Amino acid sequence: MSDTDTPRRGVRSAFRKWRAGRPFWGGLLLALGGAEILLTEKASLKVVLHIGMQGLAGYLLPALMLLLGLLILFNPTQRLFYSITGVLLALGTWLTSNLGGFFIGLLLGVTGSCLAFGWLPDQEPRVSRRKRRRAAREAKAATGLGSVGGVGSGVPVGPLGPEAGEPA
């Protein structure tokens, strides 16, 4: 390993830590949805479906979506308000911005808002299925149960009855 790899790994590790503390993919998808809708507003007049008074709303809603996506990324404590507002704005672009950026921006915005809404900040990291199976095997071997009982064997292990918390 050379000395040039160490700073790169440090930056990557810092970014992963930063990303884990916020609804990264939700905010990114919401911002990308707003950006995509803004880009479709610049389409030629042969493709544009709404012109006139809705033109201001056609620019305002996706700009707010882009702003809310960035706010979700950089201020995740208010993610519930931002995500609910983001999904409403994304649905509003259906009428004001070329059918929500020809469905792509609309879908990106709704998906990103839903991901941000469902994100939980203090969640333990998921353990892969392989690691869970290995831990169960090791626990089974450590207790000396072998194939008599244990997780998933169908044979009850431990005391049964009211003292075990089961109804009598």
Side-chain angles (χ1 to χ4, degrees):
M1 185 185 317
S2 67
D3 291 333
T4 58
D5 290 339
T6 307
R8 186 175 182 194
R9 288 178 191 243
V11 170
R12 188 172 182 188
S13 174
F15 176 71
R16 282 185 177 181
K17 186 177 179 182
W18 178 81
R19 188 181 68 185
R22 59 200 71 247
F24 179 76
W25 292 110
L28 184 67
L29 288 177
L30 182 58
L32 287 176
E36 194 275 334
I37 294 172
L38 278 173
L39 289 176
T40 61
E41 289 293 318
K42 296 292 185 183
S44 68
L45 290 178
K46 295 177 183 175
V47 183
V48 173
L49 299 177
H50 294 285
I51 304 172
M53 289 300 288
Q54 291 178 339
L56 177 63
Y59 287 106
L60 184 64
L61 269 59
L64 287 174
M65 282 175 60
L66 180 65
L67 177 67
L68 287 173
L70 293 174
L71 284 172
I72 287 172
L73 287 175
F74 295 107
N75 187 13
T77 57
Q78 299 295 323
R79 74 185 187 288
L80 296 177
F81 173 73
Y82 296 150
S83 62
I84 291 171
T85 308
V87 77
L88 292 175
L89 289 173
L91 292 173
T93 61
W94 171 264
L95 299 174
T96 61
S97 304
N98 295 331
L99 299 175
F102 305 111
F103 300 110
I104 297 168
L106 172 73
L107 291 176
L108 284 172
V110 169
T111 304
S113 294
C114 290
L115 285 173
F117 186 82
W119 179 78
L120 297 174
D122 295 328
Q123 212 172 10
E124 292 183 22
R126 293 186 66 181
V127 179
S128 70
R129 188 176 293 164
R130 184 177 297 156
K131 288 181 182 178
R132 284 194 307 253
R133 287 182 187 156
R134 185 179 306 134
R137 248 184 277 127
E138 290 172 0
K140 188 187 299 186
T143 58
L145 293 175
S147 62
V148 174
V151 179
S153 66
V155 177
V157 177
L160 296 177
E163 65 273 358
E166 296 178 0

